[in-house]
Amino acid sequence: MDEEARWLTAEEQRAWRGFVRLHERLGGRLARLLQSESKMSAADFAVLVNLTDVPDGRQRYQDLGRVLEWEKSRMSHHIARMAGRGLVVREECPDDARGAFVVITDAGRAAVEAAAPRHVEAVRELFLDHVTPAELRMLADISERVVAKLDEDVA
């Protein structure tokens, strides 16, 4: 660690801190709306959305944990709580005795389908309505590039 820190310039710091504030406030507001209007946590919603995006609504524990950036213990505890509420079930993997799947239930699918319209409207009201189409494309490009780099670093 003999290298000197590459401190942020004023412009970089403004952009970084603005991004962090945006992420924290928007995430917090959306989480509170989900909880108050759908009785679902942001974590529950994230799990259910990811499961609706994959065939058969099933995903291996470790793959879902990787997508969500959750540690193994958080995955285990959270999925157990969701299973207790009937939103998901755990299924053993027939090909791998140590592996398991998280599978969305009909109740989980109904819960995310009920929550999604209001969530999408909140995303529009709180975020999308305040950016131009060009800014939105730029944000998508930036996000995809940074995520690809993060994924590359993990691989």
Side-chain angles (χ1 to χ4, degrees):
M1 287 290 250
D2 291 340
E3 291 183 35
E4 191 169 322
R6 296 186 317 141
W7 298 109
L8 302 181
T9 66
E11 185 177 351
E12 290 168 335
Q13 191 169 74
R14 177 177 169 249
W16 175 247
R17 287 185 177 180
F19 169 76
V20 169
R21 274 192 307 276
L22 169 67
H23 176 71
E24 290 170 345
R25 288 188 184 172
L26 185 59
R29 184 79 54 91
L30 290 170
R32 285 190 299 280
L33 283 169
L34 269 172
Q35 187 65 52
S36 68
E37 296 181 11
S38 303
K39 307 299 183 243
M40 182 184 313
S41 71
D44 292 343
F45 191 75
V47 168
L48 295 174
V49 165
N50 275 283
L51 291 174
T52 62
D53 287 346
V54 295
D56 301 327
R58 77 176 44 244
Q59 197 165 19
R60 288 183 70 105
Y61 257 76
Q62 69 183 47
D63 295 337
L64 182 57
R66 192 175 304 115
V67 168
L68 296 171
E69 296 272 341
W70 288 1
E71 297 293 328
K72 188 176 180 179
S73 63
R74 180 178 182 188
M75 272 294 296
S76 178
H77 291 299
H78 196 84
I79 297 303
R81 286 191 299 272
M82 290 180 73
R85 295 193 324 270
L87 300 173
V88 297
V89 293
R90 173 192 166 100
E91 289 184 0
E92 298 303 318
C93 179
D95 301 336
D96 179 1
R98 295 179 306 169
F101 290 97
V102 180
V103 184
I104 193 169
T105 63
D106 289 342
R109 197 171 294 280
V112 75
E113 287 173 359
R118 179 60 186 116
H119 178 74
V120 168
E121 187 56 37
V123 168
R124 288 190 179 289
E125 290 171 5
L126 298 172
F127 182 70
L128 295 174
D129 290 348
H130 307 286
V131 297
T132 67
E135 290 168 332
L136 194 59
R137 283 189 299 276
M138 182 179 293
L139 178 61
D141 291 343
I142 292 167
S143 298
E144 290 166 0
R145 187 171 59 243
V146 172
V147 167
K149 177 61 177 152
L150 293 171
D151 289 347
E152 180 183 299
D153 290 346
V154 170

